[in-house]
Amino acid sequence: MNNTPKIKVLQAIRQGLIGGGESHVLSLVDAMDKERFEPVVLSFTDGPMITRLQEMGIRHYVIPSLKAFDPSCWKRVKTLIQEEQIDIVHAHGSRAASNLYIPTRMSGRPLLYTIHGWSFHDDQPFLQKQMRVWSERLLTSGAKANISVSASNRDTGVKHFSGFRSTVINNGIDLTRFNPSASQNNIRQELGIPAQNTVIGYIARITIQKDPLTLVYAFKKVLEQHRDITLLVVGEGDMKEEMVSLAAAQGIASHIVYQPFRGDVPALLQAIDIYCLPSLWEGLPIGLLEAMAMRKAVIVTAVDGSKEIVADRQNGLVVPVRDPAALATAISTLHTDVPLRTSVQHAAAVTVNQHYCAKGMTRQVEDLYRDVLDHQN
């Protein structure tokens, strides 16, 4: 019998909604070796992720905060770390890391920081970008170890920060859950989508990062040539109202089906034919990996993370950012060219099965935990 005390790890994420980072945390705590590690999850908002943690039997806390570097929550975070006797703190994303930075140092615990895409981008106003570069420099230099979810994210860190070091550990997904051969509920029938239609899936937070407006303009162009096609939009976000209004103004609302965030993502993916992710930036998109695992044809933009996974016309299609015409052409191509669609679907599933498994990802993270604890001063 193993009498070695378990290593208690606090996993911290900015919000309880289900997005890429939150899905990553759920996969990580689910696949973690419970004989050696005990995960505890901290979120700064409530949401469906918290419900899922309850179902999984994972200890979890919500400390409300909507701001980065929010002093009002630091005392409660420090108390949580101390009362739970946390051994190592793992922050996912800059918002969570900013509110763990001071409490972790005050508690004398090591901090790990997973970079799920950087908070600074070239299209930001100069001062905003400089402030975010400064904050990321602070967070990465103060962490005992950094994890980049993609090689391109690591390379961006090396470019911006002198002495930046991180371990690249690609995101992984639960291949048992995202199994294209498993039986799922008939979402098309539930939502009244014609069985013969090609269905485009946009399953994401509806924010500027995911560029929903370019998708609407592209879909309008597609409908000018093809009518047997439906766009399924699943998600919420601060641009949803604008997306809905634009689609109505373009006269295409009757071809779009909207759904809020749902937990039955494998069933949603089984219902679509083409997964579309027109992002302006990415870390290593988990939603994309889930779609590929479900043997779906994918269209992505040529941004870091996405283009690291998808090779154009091999396991998906790659288009420029903010280019409705190119996106419309890609959608139409996969709609009409069934042999190409079938080819990239199968190649997509092979890619994920070979390189992006949650269990393999988790073993690498656990090795890093042990290494950090072994080298504490």
Side-chain angles (χ1 to χ4, degrees):
M1 184 175 178
N2 184 5
N3 294 317
T4 305
K6 293 181 182 180
I7 297 170
K8 210 166 189 181
V9 185
L10 180 65
Q11 307 283 348
I13 188 80
R14 66 175 287 185
Q15 62 183 2
L17 296 176
I18 299 293
E22 294 75 26
S23 295
H24 172 90
V25 169
L26 289 171
S27 294
L28 185 61
V29 299
D30 186 46
M32 196 168 284
D33 181 355
K34 305 304 191 301
E35 294 295 318
R36 299 183 178 184
F37 297 91
E38 182 180 347
V40 179
V41 177
L42 166 64
S43 172
F44 292 96
T45 71
D46 204 344
M49 183 189 72
I50 303 303
T51 303
R52 178 73 183 117
L53 289 167
Q54 291 171 344
E55 295 169 351
M56 295 166 65
I58 301 293
R59 290 175 61 78
H60 55 276
Y61 295 85
V62 176
I63 297 178
S65 173
L66 297 175
K67 299 186 295 184
F69 294 100
D70 182 4
S72 69
C73 70
W74 291 352
K75 183 177 180 181
R76 292 183 64 186
V77 174
K78 177 188 173 186
T79 300
L80 168 61
I81 292 170
Q82 293 175 330
E83 290 185 349
E84 279 285 355
Q85 298 181 311
I86 298 297
D87 296 301
I88 193 165
V89 176
H90 188 172
H92 297 266
S94 58
R95 176 75 63 84
S98 72
N99 286 324
L100 269 296
Y101 182 81
I102 296 298
T104 300
R105 291 173 73 90
M106 292 174 66
S107 303
R109 299 328 198 260
L111 174 67
L112 270 72
Y113 174 29
T114 288
I115 302 144
H116 293 276
W118 296 100
S119 63
F120 56 86
H121 312 285
D122 290 338
D123 60 350
Q124 291 169 335
F126 176 78
L127 288 179
Q128 182 187 41
K129 180 181 177 183
Q130 292 306 114
M131 285 296 295
R132 292 194 178 187
V133 168
W134 176 86
S135 67
E136 293 280 17
R137 180 183 293 115
L138 174 70
L139 297 174
T140 55
S141 64
K144 290 295 183 183
N146 298 298
I147 298 173
S148 297
V149 297
S150 66
S152 52
N153 275 194
R154 177 201 58 200
D155 295 344
T156 298
V158 169
K159 176 182 176 182
H160 283 85
F161 312 130
S162 175
F164 173 76
R165 297 182 64 184
S166 77
T167 301
V168 176
I169 302 177
N170 292 146
N171 287 331
I173 63 167
D174 181 353
L175 297 175
T176 302
R177 182 171 182 234
F178 292 93
N179 175 5
S181 300
S183 177
Q184 305 287 349
N185 292 333
N186 190 332
I187 298 296
R188 288 194 184 211
Q189 186 178 66
E190 173 194 332
L191 300 179
I193 299 173
Q196 71 276 12
N197 275 23
T198 296
V199 179
I200 312 301
Y202 177 83
I203 305 172
R205 282 200 291 263
I206 307 175
T207 64
I208 189 171
Q209 178 191 357
K210 308 299 184 181
D211 198 11
L213 305 189
T214 291
L215 177 59
V216 172
Y217 287 120
F219 192 53
K220 169 72 180 312
K221 292 179 179 293
V222 172
L223 289 172
E224 291 170 359
Q225 303 296 323
H226 312 284
R227 306 301 289 181
D228 56 337
I229 192 164
T230 300
L231 174 61
L232 174 60
V233 176
V234 182
E236 303 290 346
D238 56 17
M239 289 189 71
K240 183 170 184 178
E241 185 176 337
E242 188 175 0
M243 182 187 195
V244 172
S245 296
L246 178 62
Q250 294 291 312
I252 61 173
S254 62
H255 291 268
I256 304 177
V257 176
Y258 297 97
Q259 287 286 287
F261 281 116
R262 297 176 52 146
D264 54 346
V265 178
L268 290 165
L269 289 170
Q270 193 171 77
I272 71 172
D273 300 292
I274 302 166
Y275 177 89
C276 193
L277 188 66
S279 311
L280 302 182
W281 69 87
E282 284 291 349
L284 196 85
I286 288 175
L288 172 62
L289 296 177
E290 292 171 348
M292 293 173 72
M294 290 294 290
R295 206 178 292 138
K296 299 303 166 180
V298 300
I299 303 171
V300 301
T301 42
V303 297
D304 289 351
S306 294
K307 66 182 181 182
E308 200 165 302
I309 302 169
V310 180
D312 190 40
R313 299 185 75 88
Q314 295 181 38
N315 59 354
L317 298 188
V318 182
V319 300
V321 297
R322 288 195 170 119
D323 191 333
L327 182 54
T329 297
I331 292 172
S332 294
T333 297
L334 290 176
H335 173 59
T336 58
D337 190 340
V338 176
L340 174 63
R341 190 166 81 199
T342 302
S343 173
V344 298
Q345 285 172 339
H346 286 282
V350 170
T351 297
V352 175
N353 276 269
Q354 290 183 347
H355 303 291
Y356 301 101
C357 170
K359 289 182 179 179
M361 170 195 75
T362 304
R363 299 293 87 79
Q364 292 179 73
V365 172
E366 290 173 343
D367 288 344
L368 190 58
Y369 290 161
R370 283 188 282 261
D371 184 66
V372 166
L373 293 173
D374 288 345
H375 290 88
Q376 279 197 97
N377 293 327

